Amino acid sequence: MTEDSQRNFRSVYYEKVGFRGVEEKKSLEILLKDDRLDIEKLCTFSQRFPLPSMYRALVWKVLLGILPPHHESHAQVMMYRKEQYSDVLHALKVIRFVSEATPQAEVYLRMYQLESGKLPRSPSFLLEPEDEVFLAIAKAMEEMVEDTVDCYWIIRCFVNQLKNKHRDALPQLPKAFEQYLNLEDSRLLGHLKTCSAVSRLPYDLWFNRCFAGCLPESSLQRVWDKVVSGSCKILVFVAVEILLTFKIKVMALNSAEKITQFLENIPQDSSDAIVSKARSDIAQASFSSSIGS
């Protein structure tokens, strides 16, 4: 038996007995053993496969630029990151912007605001829409990343990536969503248009917040694997798959308000299947580069 046929046999066997990701995990471990991590290969892996939980934080930190590709520098760089975290947190406590009672997600927000020069004059000032997005992402990230220093840096760089790398792509996602839904189920799209719901769908929740607060973290992190590795197309596919999964329910609703309210609070028990189908669809579909790469 050739090496390729042996690998294919093992893959089929592992999938049948419930260990579908064994081969993928081994491939990732090989990539992570390189003295200088190959960013392009890590991105490609993250686009094709969900990251194993035990390696997710490390891969995210490398892809987001928190850690350099060279292993030998990781400890020292994280020491600097920790010192910066402590200095910023201390400054906020001195000016009494945060305290021990401040929720952790809000602490992250105030740290981000201070570092970006956007800290308001008082903690009582109303939050801006972009602050609400940051808080939603931060609350979700808290459930994924245990270490507070790692968590802050990942949130910080994830949000910056959305603002910079995906800045031009995100506003185009509603249009791409409508186009793809039309291909998948034109009747469903027609119903949304009849109810004047298309423009009132929860695009902010889906695209600006990247489904934070919509999907449980166990499913959300698999979506964010793709966003972190450079593609926001997955957000469109997840949104479409949500509509297709709950088509019967949506078709039974006859107002934009009811449809939007339902989509903002979808049943959580279907989320894993929705994300798996969306990841499968994006691997097969050919999309215009105008909605992100």
Side-chain angles (χ1 to χ4, degrees), residues 187-287:
R187 182 166 172 263
L188 178 55
L189 177 61
H191 175 71
L192 295 176
K193 289 183 175 180
T194 299
C195 297
S196 301
V198 175
S199 63
R200 296 180 60 183
L201 294 175
Y203 294 129
D204 181 66
L205 175 64
W206 290 349
F207 304 143
N208 294 332
R209 303 187 186 204
C210 300
F211 292 97
C214 177
L215 300 176
E217 285 70 30
S218 59
S219 303
L220 189 61
Q221 58 194 4
R222 295 164 59 207
V223 175
W224 287 4
D225 284 343
K226 283 184 172 287
V227 178
V228 168
S229 59
S231 175
C232 60
K233 293 178 185 178
I234 183 65
L235 303 176
V236 171
F237 283 80
V238 173
V240 169
E241 194 56 41
I242 287 174
L243 265 296
L244 296 177
T245 299
F246 298 109
K247 174 181 176 178
I248 295 176
K249 175 67 176 178
V250 172
M251 293 290 285
L253 300 174
N254 55 13
S255 75
E257 183 179 0
K258 290 179 181 179
I259 291 172
T260 301
Q261 184 178 16
F262 172 74
L263 294 175
E264 288 177 342
N265 301 278
I266 62 170
Q268 302 287 285
D269 56 1
S270 301
S271 59
D272 281 346
I274 288 170
V275 172
S276 295
K277 184 64 167 58
R279 289 182 63 101
S280 174
D281 288 347
I282 198 172
Q284 300 175 37
S286 174
F287 242 75

Side-chain angles (χ1 to χ4, degrees), residues 31 38-49 59 63 165 225-226 228-230:
L31 290 177
D38 190 316
I39 304 298
E40 186 176 344
K41 288 182 179 179
L42 286 176
C43 282
T44 300
F45 183 94
S46 299
Q47 288 294 308
R48 294 184 61 193
F49 310 110
V59 174
L63 295 185
K165 184 169 185 176
D225 284 343
K226 283 184 172 287
V228 168
S229 59

Side-chain angles (χ1 to χ4, degrees), residues 47 55 106 127 231 292:
Q47 288 294 308
Y55 297 123
E106 185 179 335
L127 296 177
S231 175

